[in-house]
Amino acid sequence: MLVQAAMLQWESVLSPENLITNEEQLHAAATATFPIDLRIPAILRPATREQIQQCLRIATKFGIPVYPVSSGKNWGYGSAAPASDGCVLLDLSRMNRILDFNEDLGFVSVEPGVTQAQLLDFLRSRNSRLWIDATGSSPGCSLIGNTIERGFGHTPYGDHFGNVCGFEIVLATGEKLETGAARFPGSPAAPVYRWGLGPSLDGLFTQSNFGVVTRMTFWLMPAPECFQAFFFRCDQDEGLSAIVDALRRLRMSGTLRSSIHVGNDYKVLAGMQQYPWKETGGSTPLTPERMADFRRRMNFGAWNGSGGLYGTRAQVSEARRLLRRALAGKVSRLQFLDDRRLALASRFSGIFGLISRWDLSRALELVRPLYGVRKGQPSDRPLASAYWRKRTPPPERMDPDRDRCGLLWYSPVAPAQGGHARILAALSSQILLRHGFEPMLSITLITERALICVISITYDRETPGEDDRAMACYADLRRQLSAKGYIPYRLGTQSMSEMDAQGPYARLLEAVKRAADPAGILAPGRYESVGVQTVGDSRTGS
Amino acid sequence: MLVQAAMLQWESVLSPENLITNEEQLHAAATATFPIDLRIPAILRPATREQIQQCLRIATKFGIPVYPVSSGKNWGYGSAAPASDGCVLLDLSRMNRILDFNEDLGFVSVEPGVTQAQLLDFLRSRNSRLWIDATGSSPGCSLIGNTIERGFGHTPYGDHFGNVCGFEIVLATGEKLETGAARFPGSPAAPVYRWGLGPSLDGLFTQSNFGVVTRMTFWLMPAPECFQAFFFRCDQDEGLSAIVDALRRLRMSGTLRSSIHVGNDYKVLAGMQQYPWKETGGSTPLTPERMADFRRRMNFGAWNGSGGLYGTRAQVSEARRLLRRALAGKVSRLQFLDDRRLALASRFSGIFGLISRWDLSRALELVRPLYGVRKGQPSDRPLASAYWRKRTPPPERMDPDRDRCGLLWYSPVAPAQGGHARILAALSSQILLRHGFEPMLSITLITERALICVISITYDRETPGEDDRAMACYADLRRQLSAKGYIPYRLGTQSMSEMDAQGPYARLLEAVKRAADPAGILAPGRYESVGVQTVGDSRTGS
């Protein structure tokens, strides 16, 4: 059998313990937070770029599809699972070296296995003054993996793909490629200048299946003299629109330099606790009327915003003044938090009413990760909301795939205007409730002009029929939002057909694919709406 | 003859007056500010995207190479002239519509013929609060043309390619392509969200020959409440290093939000006057010793910096404090200028000693364009320095190609560190002087981490032998800087071999080229170091 011969060759490249064929591990890797039906024949765990090159040459020779994952924590979008059946998983988590670092120029070059937590530890061990930009996801997430999906974080460097350069890429042929100035050997501009000379290729290797990115340079921001987080809330559903417009103006003027996050009531409640099974007598979904009760009782708003202010003391103080002025009359509370106040609040949790007058220690539990992420400190805490509909509390070591948490994310992008935010919020709330799910929404002003609305369909995969209902809800959401022209900023592995590549755009991509991966073995189906998938699939069967 | 048949078809698409075959005009279009030897058989002047599509289909059918230019003002890098012989010029200057505009979101979508001046007029006529980002070049330069070359300006939106999205592109096949979210019909995110969904292709269409960009959306910054320009100088050659390091820190901390420009003494003198033929008794080059005399007499520094501060009154005042602190002891004068002081100075030019104590009205003449460009106001004034070595003053309507000004630009990019700035400045000064030219240099911190050193070889093409000496100087500069790993951020049409595309990088580009331009007719030789050029060239001859 072809596959068997390939396995022997992979084994000799990797050594037996890094070629995994244990059924339990294969099954775990093929499990996501929504139903997928695929088989992973093996997992390859290379430790070096050279091993990746050899592994891909073997895959190309035998025509066996291979799907690379960095940390595999792409929860809500497909976890570690490939975009098509029969792919061998290329697990890059052992490739976790930090290859270059420069405190003065503020950059670090890393391999795909390097996680947020690892980089944070590295910087601390060096007493570095540099911050990372962290996502709202887990500390164990890969920096490169997230950036390739064009994920975002919450500091001024939040647009991840906008703050990287100098990729090293291995093609399916085993060839190595470098982008930007990095393609010129010894170029001092390689880690600092994004565009290089001639056509810029970085964009081709995000949200694609053209190559395996084995190195990326991340720019890091210097810690500011002063940092404050701010929190506000608004008790009226219809208040969102004016808030988004006010925040856009502050982003465009440069006063707000990082992404601002506005979550609805469902999002906040799910951040604080699990589904109120007792209060609802076990019925789902949690209705807006009941939700309004929770808001009153637990003291949060219909909309709850947070963001960060960065700079010198005077810069932060001026930003505070401008933010107060811009949000006056639009939000009901606007509060500021810094390291000192947070430490005080923790010590005397009875005294301060920071975000809520209700239960300060609990509020602090919610606030702390929101505060930390704006300083580039990732937290596991937001992951707990994947357990929202579970009947038992989240375990110490959370694993939403293993624990059969249901989670589907759909994330349309729109102009950062109140009108668009209102339409997205209203439409998606309506759709989720109709399908029996709580509409947990966040709206993030990711750039000066654009917002991303992250919609979570959160459920319990143990509840019979729920998987199907969730998928139907997702399909409905997708249909209705795309009918209005909204496109998602990234795709889950189950919805790659949304790529909708057509005409000359599709033709150019196919040309690149053929040149980069003549056997069509790399991540078939990933960000593709045409062609190559079937090739890879049929060959696997042989 | 093939060409004749194509001409007839182009004529029927464009009407006779927009198919130019007049020898004088063809000769002018094939003239740059350095020696090139090529023939342009005709100039096509389409007014619409549809006409471009038809023109390119005809070119593809007959295998005739076509070279698109927007405004053709790529002085110092080849002007309007193609990168290879025998190309029909596709002059896009008639395509000058402003297609979309949004004051709230701060963007404008334009065609390639839209110039800096035109957009400025448009915004003024609308009483818009938005600023453009202007280059140091002429008001008549195309916005798209400059961005495709990855040119830069001097406001916070100075990295032009970093502040655009949603390209519309016509391929050589006549097909139309849109990038980013713009490829989804009716997507509201099209003018605001850069990356779209799936692989991002924008980078492929800058510094390349894969398609004709017929529309681009430019983001525009809202005018700040307060704007001040700053100017400083440093009398010691060796002071540059500490200045660059200090400015990098201010850029990285977000205090300086725009590119900062530091020019040497030769650059300043050439901005103020022509070559001092009388004082030197006609000998060239102007030696550093004589230059030092001019510095003392005319009161400027070995290094002369300028930049802009943007924000509210308090933000600008804090930036001023931080700038003063950072440059203390490193520069000999640091002065601030705003609209009010500029108006006052103009009125009472005897009273204020702004940049120099020498001749205020003359200093103002130099300062005004440096001030204006930081507010997005382009000026023709810097172009006068192309006439530096001329024996007669620049004419009212300057045209460096026609007037046989010699100008070659070489622009290496490097980390924004004092050490690199020092090496670039010292090495290039040495080389230019050795070849008999004045080393006019500017060092611009274009991003938080990178600087571009623009080196001008300025001469008089009327002086016998000077063309050859200039080309030899350029070759020497290029050889010595690239030996140290420095790459230029863009190329002149005469030096496209510096692309140095190799291996899988070159192979991917070739695949894109074949798919986008199967007949190889579009801008052969442009940002190419291999292949297609000969195809296009040989076909023309047939």
Side-chain angles (χ1 to χ4, degrees):
Chain A
M1 227 177 97
L2 270 184
V3 177
Q4 206 46 50
M7 294 289 241
L8 284 172
Q9 297 195 11
W10 280 327
E11 192 173 40
S12 83
V13 169
L14 298 172
S15 82
E17 71 272 24
N18 292 308
L19 172 62
I20 292 164
T21 51
N22 165 314
E23 271 310 320
E24 197 181 331
Q25 282 171 278
L26 297 180
H27 178 76
T31 305
T33 58
F34 49 81
I36 50 172
D37 181 22
L38 45 80
R39 207 175 40 87
I40 295 174
I43 302 175
L44 313 179
R45 305 186 69 233
T48 65
R49 196 235 302 146
E50 290 71 21
Q51 288 184 350
I52 292 182
Q53 292 177 286
Q54 289 177 286
C55 286
L56 290 182
R57 278 194 203 104
I58 296 165
T60 285
K61 187 168 69 183
F62 291 98
I64 301 173
V66 166
Y67 195 89
V69 292
S70 300
S71 68
K73 294 186 171 55
N74 197 17
W75 295 309
Y77 296 109
S79 306
S84 60
D85 190 31
C87 291
V88 168
L89 209 64
L90 189 68
D91 170 358
L92 306 174
S93 60
R94 288 177 68 219
M95 284 192 62
N96 63 353
R97 287 179 306 162
I98 292 173
L99 301 167
D100 196 4
F101 167 66
N102 188 308
E103 176 85 19
D104 288 339
L105 289 168
F107 70 78
V108 66
S109 302
V110 302
E111 291 185 331
V114 174
T115 65
Q116 306 195 94
Q118 185 187 346
L119 179 55
L120 204 60
D121 285 348
F122 172 84
L123 294 174
R124 280 176 181 160
S125 74
R126 300 264 179 145
N127 289 318
S128 170
R129 294 271 307 148
L130 300 171
W131 280 4
I132 75 166
D133 182 274
T135 68
S137 189
S138 150
C141 285
S142 156
L143 296 163
I144 288 184
N146 179 271
T147 303
I148 281 177
E149 291 293 329
R150 299 204 290 254
F152 61 88
H154 300 271
T155 74
Y157 287 36
D159 178 12
H160 288 173
F161 180 50
N163 289 285
V164 291
C165 72
F167 297 7
E168 177 189 83
I169 295 153
V170 173
L171 301 181
T173 54
E175 290 166 300
K176 190 193 82 168
L177 176 71
E178 290 182 272
T179 69
R183 76 179 171 89
F184 295 89
S187 168
V192 295
Y193 185 66
R194 191 171 164 68
W195 311 128
L197 183 63
S200 165
L201 299 192
D202 294 0
L204 279 184
F205 294 95
T206 56
Q207 297 192 354
S208 77
N209 61 5
F210 299 149
V212 178
V213 177
T214 47
R215 187 199 67 216
M216 206 183 265
T217 295
F218 286 78
W219 296 332
L220 304 176
M221 72 176 278
E225 175 190 307
C226 175
F227 164 74
Q228 292 198 348
F230 61 86
F231 299 89
F232 61 80
R233 68 181 222 230
C234 167
D235 294 330
Q236 291 78 39
D237 243 337
E238 58 281 10
L240 176 67
S241 187
I243 291 172
V244 167
D245 285 326
L247 293 173
R248 181 193 69 247
R249 284 181 213 111
L250 289 175
R251 284 227 61 174
M252 284 181 64
S253 71
T255 291
L256 292 180
R257 291 163 50 198
S258 64
S259 55
I260 312 300
H261 181 276
V262 185
N264 73 351
D265 41 13
Y266 288 99
K267 186 90 183 174
V268 172
L269 190 63
M272 294 203 281
Q273 62 168 61
Q274 287 178 288
Y275 193 85
W277 293 114
K278 216 185 281 174
E279 291 93 324
T280 54
S283 81
T284 56
L286 187 66
T287 62
E289 295 69 34
R290 270 188 199 279
M291 189 68 230
D293 267 357
F294 277 97
R295 261 151 52 183
R296 272 187 298 274
R297 255 172 41 216
M298 296 171 71
N299 243 313
F300 54 85
W303 295 103
N304 307 272
S306 56
L309 305 177
Y310 308 81
T312 61
R313 234 166 282 278
Q315 284 167 343
V316 167
S317 139
E318 172 68 355
R320 221 162 44 213
R321 181 184 76 85
L322 295 167
L323 187 65
R324 277 208 186 94
R325 193 175 68 182
L327 292 181
K330 301 182 184 74
V331 304
S332 59
R333 296 185 86 184
L334 171 60
Q335 292 182 296
F336 298 90
L337 189 61
D338 55 23
D339 286 348
R340 200 181 52 87
R341 291 193 69 197
L342 189 62
L344 271 175
S346 310
R347 244 186 295 158
F348 311 104
S349 63
I351 298 173
F352 290 88
L354 273 168
I355 229 205
S356 114
R357 267 159 265 155
W358 156 71
D359 174 348
L360 183 57
S361 64
R362 202 142 178 211
L364 275 176
E365 222 180 295
L366 179 68
V367 160
R368 214 182 293 274
L370 288 173
Y371 178 82
V373 79
R374 305 216 135 66
K375 300 182 68 174
Q377 293 165 358
S379 154
D380 250 332
R381 171 81 203 178
L383 188 57
S385 64
Y387 291 79
W388 163 248
R389 283 273 196 103
K390 287 286 175 187
R391 307 266 176 170
T392 52
E396 187 65 31
R397 290 201 59 223
M398 293 182 279
D399 180 342
D401 299 324
R402 175 200 63 200
D403 298 334
R404 294 183 59 74
C405 299
L407 180 63
L408 276 160
W409 272 335
Y410 194 74
S411 313
V413 57
Q417 286 180 308
H420 286 289
R422 195 178 53 229
I423 294 171
L424 287 171
L427 196 55
S428 56
S429 293
Q430 209 181 81
I431 296 169
L432 263 74
L433 283 166
R434 188 169 355 104
H435 285 270
F437 300 102
E438 292 73 35
M440 297 166 195
L441 310 178
S442 69
I443 285 173
T444 306
L445 286 88
I446 43 149
T447 66
E448 287 84 349
R449 289 164 178 77
L451 63 78
I452 288 174
C453 177
V454 177
I455 306 163
S456 319
I457 305 175
T458 310
Y459 63 101
D460 184 356
R461 298 195 62 200
E462 295 293 336
T463 305
E466 207 74 338
D467 262 345
D468 288 347
R469 278 191 291 275
M471 296 310 273
C473 177
Y474 184 93
D476 200 7
L477 198 56
R478 168 183 165 170
R479 196 178 52 246
Q480 293 203 42
L481 290 177
S482 59
K484 291 199 181 300
Y486 296 110
I487 57 162
Y489 91 98
R490 71 200 273 186
L491 296 174
T493 45
Q494 87 290 4
S495 64
M496 289 298 172
S497 63
E498 283 189 78
M499 258 296 285
D500 199 26
Q502 293 181 6
Y505 175 83
R507 209 159 52 66
L508 284 193
L509 295 187
E510 284 163 31
V512 173
K513 180 67 178 173
R514 267 194 311 275
D517 179 11
I521 55 105
L522 195 65
R526 185 179 146 77
Y527 288 96
E528 282 185 331
S529 36
V530 283
V532 188
Q533 178 158 6
T534 46
V535 178
D537 286 346
S538 68
R539 291 197 186 178
T540 327
S542 62
Chain B
M1 229 176 94
L2 270 185
V3 177
Q4 206 46 50
M7 293 290 241
L8 285 170
Q9 297 195 9
W10 281 326
E11 191 173 39
S12 81
V13 169
L14 298 173
S15 82
E17 70 272 24
N18 291 307
L19 172 62
I20 291 164
T21 52
N22 166 314
E23 271 309 320
E24 198 181 330
Q25 283 171 279
L26 297 181
H27 178 75
T31 305
T33 58
F34 48 82
I36 49 172
D37 180 23
L38 45 80
R39 208 174 39 87
I40 295 175
I43 302 174
L44 312 179
R45 306 186 68 235
T48 65
R49 195 235 303 146
E50 289 71 21
Q51 289 183 350
I52 292 182
Q53 292 177 285
Q54 289 177 286
C55 287
L56 290 182
R57 279 194 203 103
I58 296 165
T60 286
K61 186 167 70 182
F62 291 97
I64 300 173
V66 167
Y67 195 89
V69 293
S70 299
S71 67
K73 295 187 170 56
N74 197 18
W75 294 309
Y77 296 109
S79 305
S84 59
D85 190 31
C87 291
V88 167
L89 210 63
L90 188 69
D91 170 358
L92 306 174
S93 59
R94 287 177 69 218
M95 285 193 61
N96 63 354
R97 288 179 306 162
I98 292 173
L99 301 168
D100 196 4
F101 167 65
N102 189 308
E103 177 84 20
D104 288 339
L105 288 169
F107 71 78
V108 65
S109 302
V110 302
E111 292 184 332
V114 174
T115 64
Q116 306 195 93
Q118 185 187 346
L119 179 55
L120 204 59
D121 284 348
F122 172 84
L123 294 174
R124 280 177 181 159
S125 74
R126 300 263 180 145
N127 290 317
S128 171
R129 294 271 306 150
L130 299 171
W131 280 4
I132 74 165
D133 182 274
T135 67
S137 189
S138 151
C141 285
S142 156
L143 296 163
I144 288 184
N146 179 270
T147 302
I148 281 177
E149 291 292 332
R150 300 204 289 255
F152 62 88
H154 300 272
T155 74
Y157 288 36
D159 179 12
H160 289 172
F161 179 50
N163 289 284
V164 291
C165 71
F167 296 7
E168 177 189 83
I169 295 152
V170 174
L171 301 181
T173 55
E175 292 165 297
K176 190 192 82 169
L177 175 72
E178 289 182 272
T179 69
R183 75 178 172 89
F184 296 89
S187 169
V192 295
Y193 185 66
R194 192 172 165 67
W195 312 129
L197 183 62
S200 166
L201 299 191
D202 293 0
L204 279 183
F205 294 95
T206 55
Q207 297 193 352
S208 77
N209 61 3
F210 300 148
V212 178
V213 178
T214 49
R215 187 199 67 216
M216 207 183 264
T217 294
F218 285 78
W219 296 333
L220 304 175
M221 74 175 276
E225 175 189 307
C226 177
F227 164 75
Q228 292 199 348
F230 61 87
F231 299 88
F232 61 81
R233 70 178 220 229
C234 167
D235 295 329
Q236 291 77 40
D237 242 338
E238 58 281 12
L240 176 66
S241 186
I243 292 172
V244 167
D245 285 326
L247 292 174
R248 182 193 67 247
R249 284 181 213 111
L250 289 174
R251 284 228 60 173
M252 285 182 63
S253 71
T255 292
L256 293 180
R257 291 163 48 198
S258 63
S259 55
I260 312 301
H261 181 276
V262 185
N264 72 350
D265 40 13
Y266 288 99
K267 185 90 181 173
V268 172
L269 189 64
M272 294 202 280
Q273 63 168 61
Q274 287 177 286
Y275 192 85
W277 294 113
K278 214 184 285 175
E279 291 93 324
T280 53
S283 81
T284 55
L286 188 66
T287 60
E289 295 69 34
R290 270 189 199 279
M291 190 67 227
D293 266 357
F294 276 97
R295 261 151 53 183
R296 272 188 297 274
R297 255 170 43 214
M298 296 171 70
N299 242 315
F300 53 86
W303 295 103
N304 306 271
S306 57
L309 305 177
Y310 308 82
T312 61
R313 235 166 281 277
Q315 284 167 343
V316 167
S317 138
E318 172 69 354
R320 222 162 42 215
R321 181 183 75 85
L322 295 167
L323 187 65
R324 277 208 187 94
R325 194 176 65 183
L327 293 181
K330 301 181 183 74
V331 305
S332 59
R333 294 186 87 184
L334 171 60
Q335 293 183 295
F336 298 89
L337 189 61
D338 55 24
D339 285 349
R340 199 181 54 87
R341 292 191 69 196
L342 189 63
L344 271 175
S346 309
R347 244 186 295 157
F348 311 104
S349 63
I351 298 172
F352 290 87
L354 273 167
I355 229 203
S356 113
R357 266 159 265 157
W358 156 71
D359 173 347
L360 184 56
S361 64
R362 202 143 177 211
L364 275 176
E365 223 180 294
L366 178 69
V367 160
R368 213 182 293 273
L370 288 173
Y371 178 81
V373 79
R374 304 215 137 66
K375 300 182 67 173
Q377 294 165 359
S379 155
D380 250 333
R381 172 79 204 177
L383 188 57
S385 64
Y387 291 78
W388 163 250
R389 283 276 196 103
K390 287 284 176 188
R391 307 266 177 169
T392 52
E396 187 66 31
R397 290 202 56 224
M398 294 181 279
D399 180 342
D401 299 325
R402 175 200 64 200
D403 299 333
R404 295 184 57 76
C405 300
L407 180 63
L408 275 160
W409 272 334
Y410 194 74
S411 312
V413 57
Q417 286 180 307
H420 286 290
R422 195 179 52 227
I423 293 172
L424 287 171
L427 196 55
S428 57
S429 294
Q430 207 181 82
I431 295 169
L432 263 75
L433 284 167
R434 191 173 347 111
H435 284 270
F437 301 101
E438 292 72 37
M440 298 168 195
L441 309 179
S442 70
I443 284 174
T444 305
L445 286 87
I446 42 148
T447 66
E448 288 84 349
R449 290 166 178 76
L451 62 80
I452 289 174
C453 177
V454 177
I455 306 162
S456 320
I457 305 175
T458 309
Y459 64 101
D460 185 357
R461 299 196 62 202
E462 295 293 335
T463 304
E466 207 75 338
D467 263 344
D468 289 346
R469 278 190 291 276
M471 297 310 274
C473 177
Y474 183 93
D476 201 6
L477 199 55
R478 168 184 164 170
R479 195 179 51 248
Q480 294 203 41
L481 289 177
S482 59
K484 292 199 181 302
Y486 297 110
I487 58 162
Y489 90 100
R490 73 200 272 188
L491 296 175
T493 46
Q494 86 289 3
S495 64
M496 289 299 172
S497 62
E498 283 189 77
M499 258 295 285
D500 198 25
Q502 293 182 5
Y505 176 83
R507 210 159 51 67
L508 284 193
L509 295 187
E510 284 164 31
V512 173
K513 179 68 176 171
R514 268 194 310 275
D517 179 11
I521 56 103
L522 195 66
R526 185 179 146 77
Y527 288 96
E528 281 184 333
S529 35
V530 282
V532 187
Q533 178 158 6
T534 47
V535 177
D537 286 346
S538 68
R539 290 198 185 178
T540 327
S542 63

